[in-house]
Amino acid sequence: MNSDNLLAVASDWQEEARECLLKENYTRAALLYEQAIEAEPNVKSYYWQLGLMLLLQGEEAEAQTTWLLGMAEGDPEEIEQWTQELVELLEAEAERQRLRKDYAVAWAVRQHLREINPANLHNLLHLMALSILLDAYTGEEPHSLGVIELLNSNKPLSINHELLMQLWKSVLDYAPLHPSTLELTEACLVHAQEPLIFIDTLIHFVYRIAYLGRQFPLAVKFTELGLRLDQKHPELLLTLSSFYQDVGESAKGIEMAKFAYSVMEKLADKVYACHLIIRGMMTAGGYADEAYSTFQTLKSLVAELIEQQPTDLDSSSTVRLFSSIFFYPYFQDTPQENIQIRRQIAEICQSNVPNYAKEQIEKCRQRLSSAVKTDVPKKRLKIGYLSYCLRRHSVGWLARWVFEYHDPDRFEIYAYLLGSESKLTQDPLEEWYTGKVFKARKLGLQGPEVAELICEDEIDILVDLDSLTLNTSCEIMMLKPAPIQVSWLGWDSPGIPNIDYFIADPYVLPESAEDYYVEKIWRLPQSYIAVDGFELDVPRVRRDQLNIPNDAVAYVSFQRGYKYNAHTVRLQMQIIKAVPNSYFLVKGLGDEESLKNFFTEIAESEGVNADRLRFLPIVATEIIHRANLGIADVVLDTYPYNGATTTLETLWMGIPLVTRVGQQFSSRNSYTMMMNVGITEGIAWTDEEYVEWGIRLGKDTVLRQQISSRLRQSRHTAPLWNGQQFTREMEKAYEQMWQRYLDSHD
C-alpha cells in the first residue's frame, strides 16, 4: 500500500499524530509525518513536525537534518517565513513541556531555538529559568548565554518584563552569592517597570544575604544598586547605613544615617535613623562628644513618640523601634529610666502588631487557650530556645552547657535558629547545636511565621536569648506563641509585657530592681550563667613584637567600640599614669584610626604619652582572641556597660580584673562573675575605687599572683565553672515556672 493509501485510510492522521505526541508515542507520530511528507513533500509544516518528533526521541542530529531538508531550495524570504513557523512550533512545545514539568525536554527544545536565533532574549531567559529548575544553574549562564550583554545593549529589545523579573527573583534565590547575580541585578535595573516592587524584592534579598548569610560587603553592593532607582527610598537608606557600619565603613554609615534622618517623614522612622547615627559613632569609637549629643536628640524624639502613641505603623517601622533604644545603657546607668523607656516602646510596638499579624495573633491565642491539660505535670516539658546567635557568637559560646547537660527524660528541647540558611553559610557551632536538641528549626527572620511555627510545636516555655539585640526575637515574643516566656543571657530585659520572667541571680540585679522591671525577676541561687570553660589556641601576640619590656605591667581592654567612653578611658589613663613601666593594650571592633585618635587624645590630656598605648587588630577566631588575653597582667573593664563574655574569658585565663559596679544589669555582669569565682579584689563601687584597684593591682605583683592562683583553683570548685550544676538549676526553675502556671489555671 503506498503513502497516499495510508493517509486515505487514516483520514484523521493529524489528530492521531497529535494524540501520539500527547501520549509520548513519538515513534508512531514520526512515522505518520514521514508518510505525510512522502505524500505531500511541499507541505513544509510536516518537516517541522517530523523534526520535532525526532528531537523528542533524542535524535537531535536527525531533527536538524529534517528541518534543513524542509528549507532546501527556498529563497531568503521563504526561509525567513519557514524559520518563523519552526520557531513558533518549538516555542509552543517548549512551553507545553515546561507546564508538564518535563524541564529537561523543555530545555533541549529551547537549546535548538537558541541555535536558530541566538539573540532571542525571551528564549534565553527561559533557558536560564529551566537550568534553575533542573538544578543545573552554575552562575555562568547570564554571560555564556549573552543575557547580560543583551540587557545592557542599546539595541531595541522585545522583553517580557514579567518573565525577566521572575527569572531575576529565581536567580536571587538560587545563586545569591555568585558574582553574576550582582551583574544581572544591575542589568535589570533599567528594565524595572515597577521600581517600588523591584526595590521591595531587593530589600528582602539583601536582608537575606546579610543577616542569614553574613555577607555584608555583598549586601552593600546590592543595596547601592537599589538607590539608583530611588535615591531617597527610606528603607534602602536605613539599610545601607547599617550595612556600611557592619563592614567597617563607619564614616559612610554615619553620613548615610544622617541623610536618612533628614528625609524621614514618620517620627518612628526618624527615631530609628537617629539610632543609626549613634550606632555608627559607637561602632567606630572615638565620637564620644558627638555621640552623646546625638543621644540627647534621640531621647527627645523617643519622648515625643511616646507622647504621640502612633497606631498606624507598618511591620518594619514597628519592629525597628525595639533596637532604637538599644544604646541607653551604654550612655547612662539609670535602670529605672531605661527600663521605663523600654516598656513604653514595647507597648507602642504591641499596639501596632495587629496591623500586620492578626492571623498569627489569633492562632497564638487559640494555642494558649488550650495549653493547660490535666496530665501536663507528668509529661516532658517542651523548652524552646529562640536565638539568632546559636553560632560563633558570644551567646553561642556561653549557652552550650545548658544544651549539653539538659535531661532528655524530663525536657524536650527545641532550637529555633533565626537567620539560618545552609545555602548561604555553614557554622560549625550552629551544627553542634542542631545535634544536641530534640528538634532544630533553621528559620529566616519573619517573626509572625516563626511565632506560628512555635505555636504548632506546642512549646511550653519559650526562652529568648537575644532581647533587644534582634528585633525579630522581640516581635516573636510580643506575639506570645508559648504559655510561658522567658528572657535570658543575650542582653538585659527587653521590657515586653508578654515576657513572664527574666533570669538573673543575687548579684547581677539589686533587690530594688523588682520595683521597676516589667518581667518578674527569677533569681537563680548563684549565677545567671555558668560554663565548663573555653577552648584556646596558641597566642599570636608577644611582648617583644609589641615592644613591651618583659618586666612591664600590661593593662588590657578588649571590647567592642560600643563600650568605650571618654569618662572610663580617663580613669584608665589615670591608672596607667600612676603605674610606672605600664602599657595599655586596646583591641576593639570599630574603626581602627578613630579608636586610636580617641584613646590618644584622652591619654595625652591626662599626661600619658601615646607611646604607652598599643592597638591590636581583630583576630580571626575566638580561640586565638582568648589565647592572646594571656599577655595581660590586669584587665580593665568598661562602664557603664561591662564585659560579659570577655569577663568570663579573663577569669578563665586567671587574669586579675578591675570592674566598676553600677545599678543596671549591664554594669553588674563582671561583679556577679567575680563573686561566683570567689574574687572580690578588683570590684569597685565608685570611680575612685576603680582607679585605686587598678593602681594597686598594677604595683602589687604578689597580689596579682595570688589572684591568678585562686582563679586557676576555682576551675574545680566555683559555680561559674560548673555547667552541669547550672543546668540543673535552670531546669528546676523551668519546672517551678510551669507548676505556677498550672496552679494559676486551676
Side-chain angles (χ1 to χ4, degrees):
M1 185 179 292
N2 60 32
S3 300
D4 291 335
N5 291 335
L6 278 172
L7 292 176
V9 171
S11 58
D12 56 351
W13 69 272
Q14 292 194 23
E15 182 61 31
E16 181 185 354
R18 177 66 179 169
E19 287 296 319
C20 288
L21 170 65
L22 296 177
K23 294 178 180 179
E24 301 182 39
N25 188 354
Y26 306 131
T27 302
R28 173 61 180 168
L31 176 61
L32 290 171
Y33 284 116
E34 287 173 354
Q35 293 170 352
I37 290 171
E38 188 176 344
E40 300 180 88
N42 293 325
V43 180
K44 299 300 182 179
S45 62
Y46 298 161
Y47 292 90
W48 319 150
Q49 292 284 1
L50 175 59
L52 176 59
M53 297 308 119
L54 294 170
L55 175 61
L56 294 175
Q57 293 180 77
E59 300 176 15
E60 297 187 31
E62 291 81 354
Q64 289 180 325
T65 300
T66 301
W67 293 328
L68 289 174
L69 182 62
M71 295 188 186
E73 300 179 359
D75 60 40
E77 189 173 317
E78 288 175 319
I79 291 175
E80 183 177 352
Q81 176 188 340
W82 296 338
T83 300
Q84 183 58 36
E85 291 174 1
L86 177 58
V87 165
E88 291 175 0
L89 174 66
L90 295 179
E91 175 71 39
E93 181 60 20
E95 182 63 9
R96 187 181 77 85
Q97 295 289 351
R98 185 188 70 83
L99 294 174
R100 294 177 66 244
K101 297 187 178 180
D102 199 335
Y103 304 129
V105 173
W107 185 86
V109 173
R110 288 199 174 277
Q111 281 287 35
H112 283 277
L113 275 170
R114 182 188 171 207
E115 292 181 11
I116 295 170
N117 186 354
N120 184 331
L121 181 61
H122 179 84
N123 185 57
L124 298 176
L125 296 178
H126 271 296
L127 273 172
M128 284 180 59
L130 288 166
S131 67
I132 292 174
L133 292 171
L134 289 166
D135 198 24
Y137 185 82
T138 66
E140 301 303 320
E141 289 80 357
H143 282 298
S144 64
L145 295 176
V147 170
I148 289 177
E149 289 73 11
L150 284 170
L151 291 173
N152 287 335
S153 70
N154 295 322
K155 300 176 183 177
L157 295 173
S158 175
I159 298 180
N160 182 329
H161 290 88
E162 183 179 355
L163 173 61
L164 178 62
M165 290 300 102
Q166 287 175 348
L167 171 67
W168 173 60
K169 292 176 184 178
S170 297
V171 172
L172 292 181
D173 181 64
Y174 190 87
L177 307 184
H178 196 283
S180 67
T181 301
L182 178 65
E183 296 176 82
L184 178 64
T185 301
E186 184 174 14
C188 288
L189 281 178
V190 297
H191 304 288
Q193 290 192 323
E194 298 181 85
L196 291 180
I197 295 177
F198 188 96
I199 289 173
D200 187 58
T201 301
L202 189 64
I203 288 171
H204 283 87
F205 172 71
V206 297
Y207 283 168
R208 177 187 168 211
I209 61 172
Y211 298 117
L212 277 67
R214 332 305 184 218
Q215 300 289 332
F216 290 97
L218 185 59
V220 165
K221 294 178 180 178
F222 276 99
T223 310
E224 288 174 337
L225 290 181
L227 283 178
R228 294 187 191 178
L229 292 177
D230 185 349
Q231 295 181 349
K232 294 185 178 181
H233 191 281
E235 193 75 19
L236 286 175
L237 293 173
L238 296 172
T239 300
L240 187 55
S241 170
S242 179
F243 289 168
Y244 279 145
Q245 296 168 28
D246 291 329
V247 299
E249 296 190 48
S250 301
K252 291 175 74 172
I254 295 167
E255 180 184 357
M256 185 63 67
K258 288 180 176 179
F259 178 62
Y261 180 81
S262 71
V263 302
M264 292 299 146
E265 296 181 357
K266 289 187 176 181
L267 178 58
D269 293 333
K270 291 189 81 70
V271 167
Y272 183 69
C274 189
H275 156 77
L276 283 181
I277 298 172
I278 296 170
R279 183 179 186 264
M281 295 174 179
M282 298 290 280
T283 299
Y287 287 79
D289 293 339
E290 189 178 356
Y292 184 78
S293 174
T294 308
F295 175 62
Q296 300 308 311
T297 300
L298 176 67
K299 291 177 71 174
S300 298
L301 292 171
V302 169
E304 184 181 349
L305 184 73
I306 291 170
E307 182 179 356
Q308 189 182 95
Q309 291 291 308
T311 58
D312 60 345
L313 303 181
D314 60 20
S315 59
S316 296
S317 297
T318 298
V319 176
R320 281 198 296 250
L321 280 179
F322 281 110
S323 59
S324 297
I325 54 174
F326 177 79
F327 285 108
Y328 274 65
Y330 289 85
F331 285 99
Q332 56 188 37
D333 183 18
T334 54
Q336 293 95 330
E337 177 186 347
N338 294 349
I339 289 173
Q340 181 183 15
I341 293 294
R342 285 181 225 157
R343 176 185 60 78
Q344 292 171 323
I345 290 296
E347 288 173 351
I348 291 174
C349 294
Q350 193 82 53
S351 67
N352 281 276
V353 170
N355 293 345
Y356 63 89
K358 283 184 178 179
E359 181 180 345
Q360 287 81 8
I361 291 173
E362 184 56 34
K363 286 185 177 180
C364 290
R365 284 176 179 168
Q366 291 175 2
R367 149 70 175 142
L368 295 184
S369 66
S370 60
V372 181
K373 302 176 183 177
T374 57
D375 64 339
V376 167
K378 299 178 182 178
K379 72 164 188 172
R380 290 195 303 172
L381 280 178
K382 287 187 175 183
I383 310 296
Y385 288 96
L386 173 72
S387 183
Y388 176 71
C389 302
L390 293 179
R391 51 183 174 86
R392 283 185 55 196
H393 181 280
S394 289
V395 168
W397 292 115
L398 301 187
R400 288 181 293 171
W401 310 108
V402 170
F403 287 77
E404 176 70 30
Y405 293 121
H406 257 313
D407 183 353
D409 293 330
R410 294 159 51 214
F411 300 92
E412 197 171 281
I413 306 301
Y414 289 67
Y416 296 95
L417 304 165
L418 299 177
S420 174
E421 184 177 338
S422 57
K423 185 182 289 187
L424 291 171
T425 184
Q426 290 286 343
D427 189 297
L429 187 53
E430 181 179 272
E431 294 308 310
W432 180 90
Y433 274 104
T434 63
K436 288 292 180 179
V437 298
F438 175 78
K439 184 174 289 186
R441 294 196 180 275
K442 296 186 176 185
L443 305 163
L445 292 172
Q446 301 301 316
E449 287 80 356
V450 175
E452 191 171 343
L453 183 60
I454 294 170
C455 284
E456 292 172 1
D457 287 341
E458 297 186 337
I459 295 300
D460 298 318
I461 301 176
L462 181 62
V463 185
D464 167 39
L465 305 180
D466 295 339
S467 187
L468 296 192
T469 62
L470 185 70
N471 295 332
T472 301
S473 296
C474 295
E475 181 182 35
I476 292 166
M477 300 302 274
M478 276 198 305
L479 293 169
K480 189 69 172 177
I484 298 174
Q485 300 197 148
V486 179
S487 183
W488 172 57
L489 187 59
W491 203 72
D492 199 348
S493 133
I496 297 172
N498 279 344
I499 295 180
D500 303 286
Y501 300 105
F502 178 59
I503 301 291
D505 62 39
Y507 307 104
V508 77
L509 286 178
E511 291 184 8
S512 60
E514 303 281 357
D515 299 333
Y516 49 82
Y517 265 74
V518 177
E519 307 87 346
K520 179 174 180 57
I521 298 173
W522 192 288
R523 298 179 191 272
L524 298 179
Q526 297 177 97
S527 173
Y528 82 92
I529 181 61
V531 300
D532 278 0
F534 294 99
E535 300 86 348
L536 300 175
D537 201 330
V538 177
R540 306 299 167 89
V541 294
R542 295 162 47 97
R543 291 195 175 212
D544 57 351
Q545 295 171 334
L546 299 173
N547 196 25
I548 296 175
N550 288 333
D551 61 347
V553 177
Y555 290 94
V556 163
S557 182
F558 289 175
Q559 294 290 355
R560 294 181 66 94
Y562 287 1
K563 296 183 180 181
Y564 293 127
N565 65 76
H567 178 74
T568 303
V569 173
R570 290 188 185 282
L571 301 181
Q572 293 167 341
M573 292 305 107
Q574 291 171 25
I575 295 169
I576 303 302
K577 183 179 180 180
V579 179
N581 196 27
S582 65
Y583 293 80
F584 190 50
L585 282 63
V586 180
K587 183 182 74 173
L589 292 172
D591 181 274
E592 185 176 347
E593 195 62 31
S594 177
L595 276 176
K596 282 184 179 181
N597 293 337
F598 172 65
F599 277 93
T600 299
E601 288 176 8
I602 295 177
E604 292 178 346
S605 71
E606 292 293 327
V608 175
N609 194 305
D611 290 343
R612 297 172 70 181
L613 305 181
R614 298 291 185 272
F615 298 93
L616 276 62
I618 301 299
V619 295
T621 66
E622 295 84 354
I623 57 177
I624 295 175
H625 153 76
R626 296 170 197 141
N628 286 348
L629 270 172
I631 200 172
D633 292 304
V634 181
V635 170
L636 298 179
D637 200 9
T638 48
Y639 173 85
Y641 207 110
N642 293 169
T645 306
T646 50
T647 295
L648 282 167
E649 292 166 335
T650 297
L651 299 176
W652 179 255
M653 292 291 293
I655 303 169
L657 174 78
V658 180
T659 187
R660 165 74 161 87
V661 187
Q663 291 300 305
Q664 65 188 357
F665 182 88
S666 61
S667 64
R668 298 171 70 92
N669 262 311
S670 297
Y671 167 54
T672 187
M673 292 169 187
M674 291 179 71
M675 294 299 290
N676 274 287
V677 290
I679 300 294
T680 57
E681 295 88 345
I683 296 175
W685 295 91
T686 65
D687 290 348
E688 292 74 19
E689 286 185 15
Y690 182 87
V691 174
E692 289 169 5
W693 270 118
I695 295 171
R696 180 179 173 186
L697 287 172
K699 291 183 174 181
D700 195 334
T701 304
V702 174
L703 179 59
R704 293 203 307 270
Q705 293 172 344
Q706 291 174 346
I707 293 172
S708 294
S709 176
R710 286 160 54 197
L711 283 172
R712 287 192 294 271
Q713 292 172 4
S714 77
R715 292 184 177 188
H716 307 288
T717 59
L720 196 65
W721 313 128
N722 193 334
Q724 188 170 21
Q725 175 183 309
F726 174 76
T727 304
R728 298 288 87 82
E729 292 169 356
M730 286 284 280
E731 290 177 339
K732 183 178 180 181
Y734 292 153
E735 289 174 331
Q736 291 175 343
M737 291 174 189
W738 186 248
Q739 189 58 52
R740 286 189 185 184
Y741 176 76
L742 294 177
D743 293 343
S744 69
H745 288 77
D746 282 344

